Amino acid sequence: EADIYQTPRYLVIGTGKKITLECSQTMGHDKMYWYQQDPGMELHLIHYSYGVNSTEKGDLSSESTVSRIRTEHFPLTLESARPSHTSQYLCASAVLGSNEQFFGPGTRLTVL
Amino acid sequence: LAKTTQPISMDSYEGQEVNITCSHNNIATNDYITWYQQFPSQGPRFIIQGYKTKVTNEVASLFIPADRKSSTLSLPRVSLSDTAVYYCLVGAVAQAAGNKLTFGGGTRVLVKP
């Protein structure tokens, strides 16, 4: 089992709220990723990081931001949630030099 | 990034072998081919990765022809629990920044009793 955790697992909030989705891994992986996936649809990469203080935007434009202050922690923040942000958010990590990504259980976000 | 094309869906029956072919005509010299499996409401799970010829593990086999423009994931003797979406990804295994994989639409495999 991969040691990668996401909290909360489910979140229902109102429009305009600021939220932070947490992702932590205990494997010492340098690479971390955030994906967004609607039910039955493709995964879209929204952010990734190659190590502390490294963050990059992914293929899908996102209004969220990320930070990587510690190797094990890669939180994603939405400053003002909107109904269009309703989706599942998946965090993953991998070692440098590998394409084997380990995924967390996901956070299912609903913005009313 | 090399683009991949794979069938949208496939049906099979328990005990049969399932072969999913992925096309990646513009694969680069440094690119590896990686396959993932995803069950509903879960994150994808790594199945197998290869560069050329054949790779086999306890779950699947991956066949890659000499020109590397396609690859075939083979699932032997599938069971109902193999019903999932299977993704083919192509990308370099880079040590430095710039390496990211793109998950396409995947192939929905339905295993019937």
Side-chain angles (χ1 to χ4, degrees):
Chain A
E1 289 291 319
D3 296 320
I4 180 163
Y5 310 97
Q6 290 185 243
T7 57
R9 292 292 311 280
Y10 302 91
L11 180 62
V12 180
I13 60 168
T15 297
K17 300 291 186 182
K18 177 180 178 179
I19 61 169
T20 296
L21 307 185
E22 302 288 348
C23 176
S24 295
Q25 49 94 7
T26 58
M27 297 172 283
H29 288 171
D30 287 300
K31 298 195 292 187
M32 295 190 75
Y33 307 83
W34 275 104
Y35 293 89
Q36 184 175 344
Q37 185 179 36
D38 294 328
M41 304 299 285
E42 295 182 28
L43 282 89
H44 294 285
L45 179 67
I46 51 176
H47 297 282
Y48 59 103
S49 167
Y50 289 95
V52 172
N53 295 326
S54 148
T55 61
E56 302 283 346
K57 289 189 180 295
D59 301 320
L60 181 68
S61 175
S62 173
E63 294 162 344
S64 58
T65 59
V66 291
S67 63
R68 191 85 183 277
I69 299 172
R70 303 198 315 266
T71 298
E72 63 271 20
H73 196 212
F74 192 42
L76 181 145
T77 299
L78 280 167
E79 291 293 332
S80 180
R82 295 206 302 268
S84 61
H85 296 138
T86 295
S87 188
Q88 171 155 286
Y89 293 83
L90 290 159
C91 180
S93 71
V95 298
L96 282 176
S98 172
N99 284 342
E100 181 176 357
Q101 296 183 25
F102 294 87
F103 281 80
T107 294
R108 189 167 296 280
L109 173 66
T110 301
V111 183
L112 303 175
Chain B
L1 293 174
K3 179 179 170 58
T4 60
T5 303
Q6 51 184 122
I8 294 174
S9 64
M10 297 178 69
D11 288 356
S12 183
Y13 291 91
E14 283 188 290
Q16 289 188 337
E17 179 181 80
V18 171
N19 295 306
I20 309 171
T21 297
C22 178
S23 297
H24 27 79
N25 291 319
N26 58 341
I27 188 170
T29 302
N30 294 333
D31 285 344
Y32 281 71
I33 300 152
T34 310
W35 285 81
Y36 282 81
Q37 173 192 56
Q38 185 179 28
F39 298 114
S41 300
Q42 295 184 23
R45 183 174 68 116
F46 173 91
I47 300 175
I48 197 166
Q49 178 175 281
Y51 184 80
K52 62 180 180 180
T53 63
K54 177 183 175 182
V55 180
T56 298
N57 62 23
E58 64 278 7
V59 177
S61 294
L62 178 59
F63 299 92
I64 306 168
D67 66 6
R68 304 201 326 122
K69 293 184 183 299
S70 67
S71 59
T72 298
L73 175 73
S74 180
L75 306 171
R77 297 180 300 281
V78 294
S79 63
L80 297 177
S81 62
D82 292 315
T83 293
V85 178
Y86 293 82
Y87 296 95
C88 165
L89 293 85
V90 173
V93 184
Q95 294 287 346
N99 170 31
K100 52 186 173 77
L101 300 179
T102 298
F103 285 81
T107 298
R108 296 181 181 280
V109 172
L110 174 63
V111 180
K112 302 175 182 178

